[in-house]
């Protein structure tokens, strides 16, 4: 089996909002991830989450407590767990990675604890729909949400909790309140429900990196392998990297630097491949991984455990 999870999150030192997330790209894209499809293979069975109730990616999330602290030293304690869920089409990688014998192959996303169940409830409230709410422009967010719940604006918090089957003091209700969904003063300016909710994320400075704050990329692979002699082994490979204070984000570095390294190898005549190729062959990825470790201190830490 092979599972691979990766998340672009705030460095724990700067993870300072109730959602445990800061944006390094479009909030709209992040929110719409809740209703995207995911296809994966688990225990030999092809499974699909199609974004409908009961089959959303946030219906499949779980907490991963196995991610070790292998990154540079930080001041804050390493998170005890991350939430993770399948993302995109994992099944196509059975052939791309040349492991058709794998019974399980899941590629997915890491999020801070609390994100997945909260966004699941946001979806259940119908807040990711692109329906026309032009008639509500200028109304408060409490009035906007009350119109969807069929209640008075002054009772919107309790009505939301009842609709979602949660206690009024549940942490999820607390996050929605902090976001501004129950606010009597903030005004709706967008023409669709989705964009109105996006505006709450977009216009809240706590969802954006302040000067001196840094992001984090955390990637964790887990392999269960059977060797030629029949012995089984669990292998984990983990990489944690942080952005540069008042400099480049980890997201921008880890996306661009591997490509830049290979472009230079092409220009120097060191890369012999032609055409469009995937970096799944050792002669392509090993030089990149070596340089990322030697020059930028970005490295994978591997641990093998007999089973």
């Amino acid at each position: 089996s092979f599972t691979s999870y990766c998340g672009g999150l705030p460095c724990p030192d700067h993870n300072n909002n109730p959602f445990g997330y800061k944006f390094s790209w479009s909030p709209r894209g992040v929110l719409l991830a809740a209703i995207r499809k995911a296809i994966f293979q688990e225990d030999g069975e092809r499974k699909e989450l199609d974004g409908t109730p009961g089959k959303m990616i946030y219906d499949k999330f779980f907490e991963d407590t196995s991610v070790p602290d292998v990154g540079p030293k930080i001041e804050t304690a390493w998170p005890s767990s991350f939430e993770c869920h399948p993302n995109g089409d994992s099944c196509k990688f059975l052939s791309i990675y040349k492991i058709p014998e794998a019974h399980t192959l899941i590629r997915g996303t890491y999020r801070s604890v609390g994100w997945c169940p909260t966004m699941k409830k946001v979806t259940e409230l119908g807040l990711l729909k692109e329906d026309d709410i032009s008639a509500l422009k200028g109304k408060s967010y409490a009035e906007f949400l009350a119109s969807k719940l069929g209640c008075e604006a002054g009772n919107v918090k309790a009505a939301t909790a009842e609709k979602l089957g949660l206690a009024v003091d549940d942490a999820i209700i607390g996050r929605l309140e902090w976001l501004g969904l129950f606010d009597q003063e903030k005004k709706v300016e967008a023409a669709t429900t989705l964009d109105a909710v996006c505006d709450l994320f977009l216009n809240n400075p706590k969802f954006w990196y302040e000067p001196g704050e840094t992001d984090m990329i955390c990637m964790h692979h887990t392999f269960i392998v059977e060797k030629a002699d029949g012995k089984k082994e669990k292998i984990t490979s983990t990489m944690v990297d942080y952005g540069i204070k008042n400099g480049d984000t980890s997201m921008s570095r880890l996306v661009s630097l591997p490509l830049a390294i290979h472009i230079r190898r092409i220009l120097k005549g060191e890369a012999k491949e032609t055409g469009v190729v995937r970096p799944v062959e050792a002669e392509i990825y090993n030089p990149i991984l070596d340089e990322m470790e030697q020059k930028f201190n970005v490295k994978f830490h591997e641990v093998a455990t007999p089973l």
Side-chain angles (χ1 to χ4, degrees):
S1 71
F2 172 50
T3 59
S4 173
Y5 292 96
C6 184
L9 298 166
C11 167
D13 287 344
H14 307 122
N15 189 349
N16 52 15
N17 72 57
F19 282 77
Y21 192 83
K22 297 196 177 192
F23 294 101
S24 55
W25 60 298
S26 163
R28 206 173 199 270
V30 174
L31 299 185
L32 284 175
I35 53 176
R36 290 202 183 104
K37 292 182 178 181
I39 303 170
F40 55 97
Q41 182 156 298
E42 188 173 39
D43 297 327
E45 180 183 352
R46 177 187 171 96
K47 298 183 179 180
E48 181 172 343
L49 302 174
D50 60 12
T52 58
K55 295 188 69 177
M56 297 185 295
I57 59 171
Y58 295 138
D59 290 312
K60 180 65 179 175
F61 88 90
F62 68 95
E63 285 193 35
D64 185 355
T65 61
S66 70
V67 185
D69 180 8
V70 297
K73 186 177 180 180
I74 56 175
E75 296 179 4
T76 306
W78 179 249
S80 59
S81 63
F82 294 94
E83 291 175 351
C84 52
H85 62 79
N87 182 28
D89 182 0
S90 297
C91 288
K92 67 183 181 182
F93 289 94
L94 288 164
S95 59
I96 292 172
Y97 291 159
K98 300 178 183 178
I99 50 172
E101 69 276 15
H103 293 163
T104 295
L105 198 159
I106 304 174
R107 287 165 46 102
T109 300
Y110 277 136
R111 288 289 180 259
S112 298
V113 171
W115 173 272
C116 292
T118 301
M119 294 311 300
K120 182 176 184 292
K121 295 301 185 183
V122 167
T123 307
E124 290 177 7
L125 288 171
L127 297 180
L128 300 184
K129 294 181 178 178
E130 298 189 64
D131 52 328
D132 185 2
I133 59 165
S134 300
L136 294 174
K137 278 190 175 183
K139 299 289 187 181
S140 71
Y141 271 88
E143 292 171 314
F144 152 73
L145 187 54
S147 72
K148 291 185 172 295
L149 297 175
C151 68
E152 297 295 324
N155 193 43
V156 69
K157 180 178 178 179
T160 299
E162 183 178 359
K163 168 77 173 178
L164 298 177
L166 300 172
V168 176
D169 61 355
D170 190 276
I172 292 174
I173 298 299
R175 292 186 192 101
L176 300 183
E177 183 172 32
W178 179 87
L179 183 63
L181 277 170
F182 311 147
D183 199 288
Q184 301 276 4
E185 303 296 330
K186 292 179 182 177
K187 304 299 183 183
V188 173
E189 299 178 359
T192 71
T193 295
L194 172 61
D195 289 319
V197 174
C198 280
D199 284 346
L200 289 176
F201 286 88
L202 188 65
N203 296 327
N204 188 324
K206 284 292 186 180
F207 280 115
W208 301 94
Y209 290 97
E210 296 286 344
E213 293 186 340
T214 57
D215 67 330
M216 170 181 75
I217 301 294
C218 176
M219 181 177 287
H220 184 61
H221 308 303
T222 303
F223 307 83
I224 304 297
V225 301
E226 183 175 350
K227 298 185 175 183
D229 60 6
K231 293 181 179 179
K232 293 185 177 181
E233 195 171 52
K234 175 182 177 181
I235 303 169
T236 61
S237 180
T238 310
M239 184 276 298
V240 175
D241 181 68
Y242 302 114
I244 299 170
K245 186 176 180 179
N246 295 316
D248 293 331
T249 62
S250 179
M251 180 69 75
S252 66
R253 292 169 68 242
L254 268 58
V255 169
S256 62
L257 287 174
L259 179 61
I261 290 169
H262 195 70
I263 288 173
R264 190 184 60 204
R265 295 188 71 244
I266 292 173
L267 295 175
K268 293 174 68 175
E270 296 171 354
K272 305 303 181 183
E273 305 81 11
T274 59
V276 179
V277 295
R278 291 189 173 101
V280 294
E281 303 296 339
E283 57 266 27
I284 298 177
Y285 62 72
N286 274 338
I288 295 173
L289 291 174
D290 289 344
E291 187 163 340
M292 289 296 292
E293 179 174 349
Q294 293 162 10
K295 289 191 175 181
F296 304 105
N297 197 33
V298 176
K299 56 185 177 181
F300 285 84
H301 299 258
E302 294 189 1
V303 176
T305 307
L307 295 177

